[in-house]
Amino acid sequence: GLTRLNLEGCGVGDPGARAIFDSPHLQNLVELDFGSNDIRAGADALADRSVMPRLGVCLLGNTKIPEKSAARFRRAGLY
């Protein structure tokens, strides 16, 4: 039943991000804070709204995601 998860500055990289997106136990998240982590292409899965269908806010400040990915997230209303 977890709906909010704050992982700001926790050393999460692409493999950790992918594991979180794939977890069946985190599909109720509506807010996810990944700020200040070493996430790059691992966040690309968020562009597919079926990955975390309830997610409304994803904080990605101070990460290393490519600008193209950030633009897709903004269009999806996540970033």
Short mmCIF file of all heavy atoms in Angstrom, two decimals:
data_model
loop_
_atom_site.label_atom_id
_atom_site.label_comp_id
_atom_site.label_asym_id
_atom_site.label_seq_id
_atom_site.Cartn_x
_atom_site.Cartn_y
_atom_site.Cartn_z
N GLY A 1 0.79 -1.20 0.00
CA GLY A 1 0.00 0.00 0.00
C GLY A 1 0.83 1.27 0.00
O GLY A 1 0.28 2.34 0.17
N LEU A 2 2.15 1.16 -0.18
CA LEU A 2 3.01 2.35 -0.17
C LEU A 2 2.66 3.26 -1.33
O LEU A 2 2.55 2.81 -2.48
CB LEU A 2 4.47 1.91 -0.27
CG LEU A 2 5.53 2.99 -0.12
CD1 LEU A 2 5.53 3.54 1.30
CD2 LEU A 2 6.90 2.43 -0.46
N THR A 3 2.45 4.55 -1.05
CA THR A 3 2.10 5.50 -2.11
C THR A 3 3.17 6.55 -2.34
O THR A 3 3.18 7.18 -3.40
CB THR A 3 0.76 6.20 -1.82
OG1 THR A 3 0.86 6.89 -0.58
CG2 THR A 3 -0.37 5.19 -1.79
N ARG A 4 4.05 6.79 -1.37
CA ARG A 4 5.12 7.78 -1.53
C ARG A 4 6.44 7.15 -1.10
O ARG A 4 6.51 6.48 -0.07
CB ARG A 4 4.84 9.01 -0.67
CG ARG A 4 3.71 9.83 -1.22
CD ARG A 4 3.41 11.04 -0.34
NE ARG A 4 2.48 11.94 -0.97
CZ ARG A 4 1.18 11.74 -1.10
NH1 ARG A 4 0.66 10.62 -0.65
NH2 ARG A 4 0.41 12.62 -1.69
N LEU A 5 7.48 7.40 -1.91
CA LEU A 5 8.79 6.85 -1.63
C LEU A 5 9.84 7.92 -1.89
O LEU A 5 9.93 8.46 -3.00
CB LEU A 5 9.05 5.62 -2.51
CG LEU A 5 10.37 4.88 -2.30
CD1 LEU A 5 10.49 4.37 -0.87
CD2 LEU A 5 10.47 3.73 -3.29
N ASN A 6 10.61 8.26 -0.86
CA ASN A 6 11.66 9.26 -0.98
C ASN A 6 13.01 8.55 -0.93
O ASN A 6 13.41 8.04 0.12
CB ASN A 6 11.55 10.28 0.15
CG ASN A 6 12.57 11.40 0.02
OD1 ASN A 6 13.58 11.28 -0.67
ND2 ASN A 6 12.30 12.50 0.69
N LEU A 7 13.72 8.56 -2.06
CA LEU A 7 15.04 7.96 -2.16
C LEU A 7 16.08 9.01 -2.51
O LEU A 7 17.13 8.69 -3.07
CB LEU A 7 15.03 6.84 -3.21
CG LEU A 7 14.15 5.65 -2.87
CD1 LEU A 7 14.03 4.72 -4.06
CD2 LEU A 7 14.69 4.92 -1.66
N GLU A 8 15.80 10.25 -2.16
CA GLU A 8 16.72 11.34 -2.48
C GLU A 8 18.10 11.09 -1.86
O GLU A 8 18.22 10.81 -0.67
CB GLU A 8 16.17 12.67 -1.96
CG GLU A 8 17.06 13.84 -2.31
CD GLU A 8 16.49 15.17 -1.82
OE1 GLU A 8 15.53 15.17 -1.04
OE2 GLU A 8 17.04 16.19 -2.23
N GLY A 9 19.13 11.15 -2.71
CA GLY A 9 20.51 11.02 -2.25
C GLY A 9 20.86 9.66 -1.68
O GLY A 9 21.75 9.55 -0.85
N CYS A 10 20.20 8.61 -2.13
CA CYS A 10 20.43 7.27 -1.58
C CYS A 10 21.39 6.43 -2.43
O CYS A 10 21.51 5.23 -2.19
CB CYS A 10 19.10 6.54 -1.42
SG CYS A 10 18.10 7.20 -0.08
N GLY A 11 22.03 7.02 -3.41
CA GLY A 11 22.98 6.26 -4.23
C GLY A 11 22.33 5.31 -5.21
O GLY A 11 22.94 4.33 -5.62
N VAL A 12 21.11 5.61 -5.62
CA VAL A 12 20.40 4.75 -6.58
C VAL A 12 20.95 5.03 -7.98
O VAL A 12 21.06 6.17 -8.39
CB VAL A 12 18.88 5.02 -6.56
CG1 VAL A 12 18.17 4.18 -7.61
CG2 VAL A 12 18.31 4.77 -5.18
N GLY A 13 21.29 3.98 -8.69
CA GLY A 13 21.75 4.09 -10.07
C GLY A 13 20.72 3.47 -11.00
O GLY A 13 19.61 3.14 -10.59
N ASP A 14 21.10 3.30 -12.25
CA ASP A 14 20.18 2.73 -13.23
C ASP A 14 19.66 1.34 -12.85
O ASP A 14 18.45 1.10 -12.95
CB ASP A 14 20.84 2.67 -14.60
CG ASP A 14 20.89 4.05 -15.27
OD1 ASP A 14 20.15 4.96 -14.84
OD2 ASP A 14 21.66 4.20 -16.22
N PRO A 15 20.51 0.41 -12.36
CA PRO A 15 19.98 -0.90 -11.99
C PRO A 15 18.94 -0.81 -10.86
O PRO A 15 17.92 -1.50 -10.89
CB PRO A 15 21.21 -1.69 -11.55
CG PRO A 15 22.35 -1.03 -12.23
CD PRO A 15 21.98 0.43 -12.28
N GLY A 16 19.18 0.04 -9.89
CA GLY A 16 18.23 0.20 -8.79
C GLY A 16 16.92 0.82 -9.26
O GLY A 16 15.85 0.41 -8.81
N ALA A 17 17.02 1.79 -10.15
CA ALA A 17 15.81 2.42 -10.69
C ALA A 17 14.97 1.38 -11.44
O ALA A 17 13.75 1.30 -11.25
CB ALA A 17 16.17 3.57 -11.61
N ARG A 18 15.63 0.59 -12.25
CA ARG A 18 14.89 -0.45 -13.00
C ARG A 18 14.23 -1.45 -12.05
O ARG A 18 13.10 -1.88 -12.28
CB ARG A 18 15.83 -1.17 -13.96
CG ARG A 18 16.14 -0.34 -15.18
CD ARG A 18 16.91 -1.13 -16.23
NE ARG A 18 17.73 -0.22 -16.99
CZ ARG A 18 19.03 -0.06 -16.86
NH1 ARG A 18 19.71 -0.78 -15.99
NH2 ARG A 18 19.69 0.81 -17.58
N ALA A 19 14.93 -1.82 -10.98
CA ALA A 19 14.35 -2.76 -10.01
C ALA A 19 13.11 -2.17 -9.35
O ALA A 19 12.12 -2.88 -9.12
CB ALA A 19 15.40 -3.13 -8.96
N ILE A 20 13.15 -0.88 -9.05
CA ILE A 20 11.99 -0.22 -8.44
C ILE A 20 10.82 -0.21 -9.42
O ILE A 20 9.69 -0.52 -9.06
CB ILE A 20 12.37 1.19 -7.98
CG1 ILE A 20 13.28 1.07 -6.74
CG2 ILE A 20 11.14 2.05 -7.70
CD1 ILE A 20 13.98 2.33 -6.35
N PHE A 21 11.08 0.12 -10.69
CA PHE A 21 10.00 0.16 -11.68
C PHE A 21 9.41 -1.22 -11.92
O PHE A 21 8.22 -1.35 -12.19
CB PHE A 21 10.51 0.72 -13.01
CG PHE A 21 11.06 2.12 -12.90
CD1 PHE A 21 12.14 2.50 -13.67
CD2 PHE A 21 10.52 3.04 -12.02
CE1 PHE A 21 12.66 3.78 -13.58
CE2 PHE A 21 11.04 4.32 -11.91
CZ PHE A 21 12.11 4.69 -12.70
N ASP A 22 10.23 -2.25 -11.81
CA ASP A 22 9.76 -3.62 -12.05
C ASP A 22 9.08 -4.26 -10.85
O ASP A 22 8.44 -5.29 -10.98
CB ASP A 22 10.94 -4.52 -12.46
CG ASP A 22 11.46 -4.20 -13.84
OD1 ASP A 22 10.74 -3.54 -14.63
OD2 ASP A 22 12.60 -4.60 -14.14
N SER A 23 9.21 -3.66 -9.68
CA SER A 23 8.69 -4.27 -8.47
C SER A 23 7.16 -4.27 -8.45
O SER A 23 6.53 -3.21 -8.53
CB SER A 23 9.19 -3.52 -7.23
OG SER A 23 8.54 -4.02 -6.07
N PRO A 24 6.55 -5.42 -8.27
CA PRO A 24 5.09 -5.47 -8.17
C PRO A 24 4.60 -4.85 -6.86
O PRO A 24 3.42 -4.53 -6.74
CB PRO A 24 4.78 -6.97 -8.23
CG PRO A 24 6.01 -7.63 -7.75
CD PRO A 24 7.16 -6.75 -8.18
N HIS A 25 5.49 -4.67 -5.90
CA HIS A 25 5.11 -4.13 -4.59
C HIS A 25 5.07 -2.61 -4.57
O HIS A 25 4.65 -2.03 -3.57
CB HIS A 25 6.08 -4.63 -3.52
CG HIS A 25 6.19 -6.12 -3.51
ND1 HIS A 25 5.17 -6.94 -3.08
CD2 HIS A 25 7.19 -6.93 -3.91
CE1 HIS A 25 5.55 -8.19 -3.21
NE2 HIS A 25 6.76 -8.22 -3.71
N LEU A 26 5.52 -1.96 -5.64
CA LEU A 26 5.58 -0.50 -5.66
C LEU A 26 4.67 0.10 -6.73
O LEU A 26 4.79 1.27 -7.06
CB LEU A 26 7.03 -0.05 -5.88
CG LEU A 26 7.99 -0.47 -4.78
CD1 LEU A 26 9.43 -0.09 -5.14
CD2 LEU A 26 7.60 0.15 -3.45
N GLN A 27 3.73 -0.67 -7.21
CA GLN A 27 2.87 -0.19 -8.28
C GLN A 27 1.79 0.79 -7.83
O GLN A 27 1.11 1.40 -8.64
CB GLN A 27 2.23 -1.37 -9.02
CG GLN A 27 3.24 -2.21 -9.76
CD GLN A 27 4.05 -1.37 -10.75
OE1 GLN A 27 3.49 -0.76 -11.65
NE2 GLN A 27 5.35 -1.32 -10.57
N ASN A 28 1.66 1.00 -6.51
CA ASN A 28 0.70 1.97 -6.01
C ASN A 28 1.32 3.34 -5.77
O ASN A 28 0.65 4.26 -5.30
CB ASN A 28 0.07 1.49 -4.70
CG ASN A 28 -0.90 0.35 -4.93
OD1 ASN A 28 -1.58 0.31 -5.95
ND2 ASN A 28 -0.96 -0.58 -4.01
N LEU A 29 2.61 3.49 -6.10
CA LEU A 29 3.26 4.79 -5.86
C LEU A 29 2.58 5.89 -6.66
O LEU A 29 2.29 5.75 -7.84
CB LEU A 29 4.74 4.73 -6.26
CG LEU A 29 5.67 3.93 -5.37
CD1 LEU A 29 7.10 4.00 -5.90
CD2 LEU A 29 5.63 4.43 -3.93
N VAL A 30 2.34 7.01 -5.97
CA VAL A 30 1.85 8.21 -6.63
C VAL A 30 2.93 9.29 -6.63
O VAL A 30 2.86 10.24 -7.40
CB VAL A 30 0.55 8.75 -5.99
CG1 VAL A 30 -0.58 7.76 -6.18
CG2 VAL A 30 0.75 9.09 -4.54
N GLU A 31 3.92 9.13 -5.77
CA GLU A 31 5.01 10.09 -5.70
C GLU A 31 6.32 9.36 -5.44
O GLU A 31 6.41 8.51 -4.55
CB GLU A 31 4.78 11.10 -4.57
CG GLU A 31 5.81 12.20 -4.52
CD GLU A 31 5.48 13.22 -3.45
OE1 GLU A 31 4.31 13.64 -3.37
OE2 GLU A 31 6.39 13.57 -2.70
N LEU A 32 7.34 9.70 -6.24
CA LEU A 32 8.64 9.06 -6.13
C LEU A 32 9.71 10.14 -6.23
O LEU A 32 9.73 10.91 -7.18
CB LEU A 32 8.81 8.04 -7.26
CG LEU A 32 10.13 7.30 -7.36
CD1 LEU A 32 10.43 6.51 -6.09
CD2 LEU A 32 10.11 6.36 -8.57
N ASP A 33 10.59 10.20 -5.24
CA ASP A 33 11.68 11.18 -5.24
C ASP A 33 12.99 10.44 -5.47
O ASP A 33 13.47 9.72 -4.60
CB ASP A 33 11.72 11.94 -3.92
CG ASP A 33 12.72 13.09 -3.92
OD1 ASP A 33 13.60 13.12 -4.81
OD2 ASP A 33 12.63 13.94 -3.03
N PHE A 34 13.56 10.63 -6.66
CA PHE A 34 14.85 10.05 -7.04
C PHE A 34 15.94 11.12 -7.08
O PHE A 34 17.01 10.89 -7.63
CB PHE A 34 14.76 9.44 -8.43
CG PHE A 34 14.41 7.98 -8.48
CD1 PHE A 34 13.63 7.49 -9.50
CD2 PHE A 34 14.88 7.10 -7.54
CE1 PHE A 34 13.32 6.16 -9.59
CE2 PHE A 34 14.57 5.75 -7.61
CZ PHE A 34 13.79 5.29 -8.64
N GLY A 35 15.67 12.30 -6.56
CA GLY A 35 16.62 13.41 -6.66
C GLY A 35 17.99 13.07 -6.10
O GLY A 35 18.14 12.27 -5.18
N SER A 36 19.01 13.68 -6.69
CA SER A 36 20.40 13.54 -6.25
C SER A 36 20.89 12.10 -6.24
O SER A 36 21.55 11.65 -5.31
CB SER A 36 20.59 14.17 -4.86
OG SER A 36 20.26 15.54 -4.90
N ASN A 37 20.55 11.37 -7.28
CA ASN A 37 21.04 10.01 -7.47
C ASN A 37 21.72 9.91 -8.83
O ASN A 37 21.61 10.81 -9.65
CB ASN A 37 19.88 9.00 -7.39
CG ASN A 37 19.44 8.76 -5.97
OD1 ASN A 37 20.16 8.16 -5.19
ND2 ASN A 37 18.25 9.23 -5.62
N ASP A 38 22.42 8.81 -9.07
CA ASP A 38 23.18 8.62 -10.31
C ASP A 38 22.34 7.88 -11.34
O ASP A 38 22.73 6.85 -11.87
CB ASP A 38 24.48 7.86 -10.01
CG ASP A 38 25.42 7.89 -11.19
OD1 ASP A 38 25.35 8.83 -12.00
OD2 ASP A 38 26.24 6.96 -11.32
N ILE A 39 21.15 8.42 -11.60
CA ILE A 39 20.24 7.80 -12.56
C ILE A 39 20.40 8.50 -13.90
O ILE A 39 20.41 9.72 -13.99
CB ILE A 39 18.79 7.92 -12.07
CG1 ILE A 39 18.64 7.18 -10.74
CG2 ILE A 39 17.83 7.37 -13.12
CD1 ILE A 39 17.33 7.42 -10.06
N ARG A 40 20.53 7.71 -14.93
CA ARG A 40 20.67 8.21 -16.29
C ARG A 40 19.56 7.61 -17.13
O ARG A 40 18.41 7.96 -16.96
CB ARG A 40 22.05 7.85 -16.84
CG ARG A 40 23.18 8.46 -16.03
CD ARG A 40 24.52 7.86 -16.39
NE ARG A 40 25.52 8.18 -15.39
CZ ARG A 40 26.46 9.09 -15.54
NH1 ARG A 40 26.54 9.77 -16.66
NH2 ARG A 40 27.33 9.32 -14.58
N ALA A 41 19.89 6.68 -17.99
CA ALA A 41 18.89 6.05 -18.87
C ALA A 41 17.93 5.14 -18.11
O ALA A 41 16.89 4.77 -18.63
CB ALA A 41 19.59 5.26 -19.97
N GLY A 42 18.25 4.79 -16.88
CA GLY A 42 17.38 3.92 -16.09
C GLY A 42 16.00 4.50 -15.85
O GLY A 42 15.05 3.78 -15.57
N ALA A 43 15.88 5.80 -15.96
CA ALA A 43 14.58 6.45 -15.75
C ALA A 43 13.72 6.44 -17.00
O ALA A 43 12.55 6.77 -16.95
CB ALA A 43 14.80 7.89 -15.28
N ASP A 44 14.28 6.03 -18.13
CA ASP A 44 13.53 6.06 -19.39
C ASP A 44 12.24 5.25 -19.34
O ASP A 44 11.29 5.56 -20.04
CB ASP A 44 14.39 5.58 -20.55
CG ASP A 44 15.42 6.61 -20.98
OD1 ASP A 44 15.31 7.78 -20.55
OD2 ASP A 44 16.34 6.25 -21.74
N ALA A 45 12.21 4.23 -18.51
CA ALA A 45 11.01 3.40 -18.41
C ALA A 45 9.79 4.21 -17.99
O ALA A 45 8.65 3.86 -18.31
CB ALA A 45 11.24 2.26 -17.42
N LEU A 46 10.01 5.32 -17.30
CA LEU A 46 8.89 6.14 -16.84
C LEU A 46 8.11 6.78 -17.97
O LEU A 46 6.97 7.21 -17.77
CB LEU A 46 9.39 7.25 -15.90
CG LEU A 46 9.78 6.80 -14.51
CD1 LEU A 46 10.34 7.98 -13.72
CD2 LEU A 46 8.59 6.21 -13.79
N ALA A 47 8.69 6.87 -19.14
CA ALA A 47 7.98 7.44 -20.29
C ALA A 47 6.79 6.57 -20.67
O ALA A 47 5.84 7.04 -21.29
CB ALA A 47 8.93 7.62 -21.46
N ASP A 48 6.83 5.31 -20.29
CA ASP A 48 5.73 4.38 -20.54
C ASP A 48 4.82 4.41 -19.30
O ASP A 48 5.18 3.88 -18.25
CB ASP A 48 6.28 2.98 -20.77
CG ASP A 48 5.20 1.94 -20.98
OD1 ASP A 48 3.99 2.27 -20.89
OD2 ASP A 48 5.57 0.78 -21.23
N ARG A 49 3.67 5.02 -19.42
CA ARG A 49 2.77 5.20 -18.27
C ARG A 49 2.29 3.88 -17.68
O ARG A 49 1.83 3.83 -16.55
CB ARG A 49 1.57 6.06 -18.66
CG ARG A 49 1.93 7.49 -19.00
CD ARG A 49 2.49 8.25 -17.84
NE ARG A 49 1.45 8.40 -16.82
CZ ARG A 49 1.66 8.86 -15.61
NH1 ARG A 49 2.85 9.22 -15.24
NH2 ARG A 49 0.69 8.95 -14.74
N SER A 50 2.41 2.77 -18.41
CA SER A 50 1.98 1.49 -17.86
C SER A 50 3.00 0.93 -16.85
O SER A 50 2.67 0.03 -16.09
CB SER A 50 1.75 0.47 -18.98
OG SER A 50 2.97 0.10 -19.58
N VAL A 51 4.21 1.48 -16.83
CA VAL A 51 5.24 0.99 -15.90
C VAL A 51 4.83 1.28 -14.46
O VAL A 51 4.91 0.41 -13.60
CB VAL A 51 6.61 1.62 -16.23
CG1 VAL A 51 7.63 1.32 -15.15
CG2 VAL A 51 7.11 1.11 -17.57
N MET A 52 4.41 2.47 -14.17
CA MET A 52 3.91 2.85 -12.85
C MET A 52 2.65 3.68 -13.09
O MET A 52 2.69 4.91 -13.08
CB MET A 52 4.95 3.64 -12.05
CG MET A 52 6.15 2.80 -11.66
SD MET A 52 7.13 3.59 -10.39
CE MET A 52 7.11 2.29 -9.17
N PRO A 53 1.53 3.02 -13.31
CA PRO A 53 0.33 3.72 -13.78
C PRO A 53 -0.25 4.76 -12.83
O PRO A 53 -0.91 5.68 -13.28
CB PRO A 53 -0.66 2.58 -14.02
CG PRO A 53 -0.14 1.42 -13.25
CD PRO A 53 1.33 1.60 -13.16
N ARG A 54 0.00 4.66 -11.56
CA ARG A 54 -0.57 5.61 -10.60
C ARG A 54 0.37 6.79 -10.31
O ARG A 54 -0.02 7.75 -9.66
CB ARG A 54 -0.91 4.89 -9.31
CG ARG A 54 -2.04 3.91 -9.48
CD ARG A 54 -2.28 3.10 -8.21
NE ARG A 54 -3.33 2.14 -8.38
CZ ARG A 54 -3.19 0.95 -8.93
NH1 ARG A 54 -2.02 0.56 -9.38
NH2 ARG A 54 -4.21 0.12 -9.04
N LEU A 55 1.61 6.70 -10.78
CA LEU A 55 2.60 7.72 -10.48
C LEU A 55 2.19 9.07 -11.06
O LEU A 55 1.93 9.20 -12.25
CB LEU A 55 3.96 7.30 -11.04
CG LEU A 55 5.17 8.09 -10.54
CD1 LEU A 55 5.36 7.88 -9.04
CD2 LEU A 55 6.42 7.66 -11.29
N GLY A 56 2.12 10.06 -10.20
CA GLY A 56 1.74 11.41 -10.62
C GLY A 56 2.89 12.38 -10.53
O GLY A 56 2.94 13.36 -11.26
N VAL A 57 3.84 12.12 -9.62
CA VAL A 57 4.99 13.01 -9.43
C VAL A 57 6.25 12.17 -9.30
O VAL A 57 6.30 11.23 -8.51
CB VAL A 57 4.83 13.87 -8.14
CG1 VAL A 57 6.07 14.69 -7.88
CG2 VAL A 57 3.60 14.75 -8.23
N CYS A 58 7.25 12.52 -10.09
CA CYS A 58 8.56 11.89 -9.97
C CYS A 58 9.61 12.99 -9.94
O CYS A 58 9.79 13.71 -10.93
CB CYS A 58 8.81 10.93 -11.13
SG CYS A 58 10.34 10.00 -10.91
N LEU A 59 10.26 13.13 -8.81
CA LEU A 59 11.28 14.17 -8.65
C LEU A 59 12.63 13.61 -9.06
O LEU A 59 13.07 12.60 -8.54
CB LEU A 59 11.30 14.65 -7.19
CG LEU A 59 9.94 15.16 -6.69
CD1 LEU A 59 10.00 15.44 -5.20
CD2 LEU A 59 9.51 16.38 -7.46
N LEU A 60 13.26 14.28 -10.04
CA LEU A 60 14.50 13.79 -10.62
C LEU A 60 15.59 14.86 -10.62
O LEU A 60 16.53 14.79 -11.39
CB LEU A 60 14.25 13.32 -12.05
CG LEU A 60 13.34 12.11 -12.19
CD1 LEU A 60 12.84 11.97 -13.62
CD2 LEU A 60 14.06 10.86 -11.74
N GLY A 61 15.47 15.86 -9.75
CA GLY A 61 16.46 16.92 -9.71
C GLY A 61 17.84 16.40 -9.30
O GLY A 61 17.97 15.46 -8.52
N ASN A 62 18.86 16.99 -9.88
CA ASN A 62 20.25 16.61 -9.61
C ASN A 62 20.54 15.16 -9.96
O ASN A 62 21.29 14.48 -9.27
CB ASN A 62 20.64 16.89 -8.16
CG ASN A 62 20.58 18.35 -7.84
OD1 ASN A 62 21.00 19.18 -8.64
ND2 ASN A 62 20.05 18.69 -6.69
N THR A 63 19.92 14.69 -11.02
CA THR A 63 20.25 13.38 -11.57
C THR A 63 20.96 13.62 -12.90
O THR A 63 21.17 14.76 -13.29
CB THR A 63 19.00 12.51 -11.79
OG1 THR A 63 18.13 13.17 -12.70
CG2 THR A 63 18.29 12.19 -10.49
N LYS A 64 21.30 12.56 -13.58
CA LYS A 64 22.03 12.69 -14.84
C LYS A 64 21.22 12.19 -16.03
O LYS A 64 21.76 11.71 -17.00
CB LYS A 64 23.36 11.94 -14.73
CG LYS A 64 24.23 12.53 -13.64
CD LYS A 64 25.48 11.73 -13.43
CE LYS A 64 26.28 12.38 -12.29
NZ LYS A 64 27.44 11.63 -11.92
N ILE A 65 19.89 12.32 -15.92
CA ILE A 65 19.06 11.85 -17.01
C ILE A 65 19.27 12.75 -18.23
O ILE A 65 19.45 13.96 -18.10
CB ILE A 65 17.57 11.77 -16.64
CG1 ILE A 65 17.03 13.13 -16.26
CG2 ILE A 65 17.33 10.77 -15.55
CD1 ILE A 65 15.52 13.17 -16.13
N PRO A 66 19.26 12.15 -19.41
CA PRO A 66 19.42 12.94 -20.63
C PRO A 66 18.26 13.93 -20.81
O PRO A 66 17.13 13.65 -20.40
CB PRO A 66 19.41 11.90 -21.75
CG PRO A 66 19.66 10.59 -21.08
CD PRO A 66 19.18 10.73 -19.68
N GLU A 67 18.52 15.05 -21.42
CA GLU A 67 17.49 16.06 -21.63
C GLU A 67 16.31 15.52 -22.43
O GLU A 67 15.17 15.88 -22.18
CB GLU A 67 18.07 17.30 -22.32
CG GLU A 67 17.06 18.41 -22.54
CD GLU A 67 16.27 18.82 -21.30
OE1 GLU A 67 16.86 18.88 -20.20
OE2 GLU A 67 15.06 19.08 -21.43
N LYS A 68 16.57 14.63 -23.39
CA LYS A 68 15.48 14.03 -24.18
C LYS A 68 14.51 13.29 -23.26
O LYS A 68 13.30 13.37 -23.42
CB LYS A 68 16.04 13.06 -25.22
CG LYS A 68 15.97 13.59 -26.62
CD LYS A 68 16.05 12.52 -27.69
CE LYS A 68 17.36 11.79 -27.72
NZ LYS A 68 17.53 10.99 -28.93
N SER A 69 15.07 12.56 -22.31
CA SER A 69 14.22 11.82 -21.35
C SER A 69 13.44 12.79 -20.49
O SER A 69 12.24 12.60 -20.26
CB SER A 69 15.09 10.92 -20.47
OG SER A 69 15.76 9.97 -21.25
N ALA A 70 14.10 13.82 -20.00
CA ALA A 70 13.43 14.81 -19.15
C ALA A 70 12.27 15.45 -19.90
O ALA A 70 11.20 15.67 -19.33
CB ALA A 70 14.42 15.87 -18.69
N ALA A 71 12.44 15.72 -21.18
CA ALA A 71 11.37 16.32 -21.98
C ALA A 71 10.17 15.37 -22.09
O ALA A 71 9.02 15.81 -21.98
CB ALA A 71 11.89 16.67 -23.36
N ARG A 72 10.43 14.08 -22.26
CA ARG A 72 9.33 13.10 -22.32
C ARG A 72 8.59 13.05 -20.99
O ARG A 72 7.35 12.96 -20.95
CB ARG A 72 9.87 11.71 -22.66
CG ARG A 72 10.16 11.53 -24.12
CD ARG A 72 10.36 10.06 -24.44
NE ARG A 72 11.40 9.49 -23.59
CZ ARG A 72 12.57 9.06 -24.02
NH1 ARG A 72 12.86 9.09 -25.29
NH2 ARG A 72 13.46 8.56 -23.20
N PHE A 73 9.33 13.11 -19.88
CA PHE A 73 8.69 13.07 -18.56
C PHE A 73 7.83 14.32 -18.35
O PHE A 73 6.74 14.24 -17.78
CB PHE A 73 9.71 12.96 -17.44
CG PHE A 73 10.63 11.78 -17.56
CD1 PHE A 73 11.90 11.83 -17.04
CD2 PHE A 73 10.23 10.61 -18.19
CE1 PHE A 73 12.76 10.76 -17.15
CE2 PHE A 73 11.09 9.53 -18.31
CZ PHE A 73 12.35 9.60 -17.78
N ARG A 74 8.33 15.47 -18.80
CA ARG A 74 7.55 16.70 -18.65
C ARG A 74 6.25 16.59 -19.46
O ARG A 74 5.19 16.99 -18.98
CB ARG A 74 8.37 17.90 -19.09
CG ARG A 74 9.38 18.34 -18.06
CD ARG A 74 9.98 19.70 -18.39
NE ARG A 74 10.87 19.65 -19.53
CZ ARG A 74 12.16 19.35 -19.47
NH1 ARG A 74 12.73 19.07 -18.32
NH2 ARG A 74 12.91 19.35 -20.57
N ARG A 75 6.34 16.05 -20.67
CA ARG A 75 5.12 15.89 -21.49
C ARG A 75 4.14 14.94 -20.82
O ARG A 75 2.93 15.10 -20.96
CB ARG A 75 5.49 15.38 -22.89
CG ARG A 75 6.06 16.45 -23.79
CD ARG A 75 6.11 16.01 -25.24
NE ARG A 75 6.94 14.84 -25.46
CZ ARG A 75 8.26 14.85 -25.65
NH1 ARG A 75 8.91 15.99 -25.62
NH2 ARG A 75 8.93 13.74 -25.86
N ALA A 76 4.65 13.95 -20.11
CA ALA A 76 3.77 13.00 -19.41
C ALA A 76 3.26 13.56 -18.09
O ALA A 76 2.46 12.94 -17.42
CB ALA A 76 4.53 11.69 -19.16
N GLY A 77 3.74 14.76 -17.72
CA GLY A 77 3.30 15.40 -16.49
C GLY A 77 3.94 14.88 -15.24
O GLY A 77 3.44 15.07 -14.14
N LEU A 78 5.10 14.21 -15.38
CA LEU A 78 5.78 13.60 -14.22
C LEU A 78 6.90 14.44 -13.67
O LEU A 78 7.35 14.22 -12.55
CB LEU A 78 6.35 12.24 -14.60
CG LEU A 78 5.34 11.15 -14.88
CD1 LEU A 78 6.03 9.92 -15.41
CD2 LEU A 78 4.56 10.83 -13.63
N TYR A 79 7.42 15.37 -14.44
CA TYR A 79 8.68 16.02 -14.06
C TYR A 79 8.61 17.49 -14.30
O TYR A 79 8.06 17.95 -15.25
CB TYR A 79 9.78 15.36 -14.90
CG TYR A 79 11.18 15.87 -14.70
CD1 TYR A 79 11.81 15.75 -13.48
CD2 TYR A 79 11.87 16.43 -15.76
CE1 TYR A 79 13.11 16.18 -13.33
CE2 TYR A 79 13.17 16.85 -15.61
CZ TYR A 79 13.79 16.73 -14.39
OH TYR A 79 15.07 17.13 -14.24
#
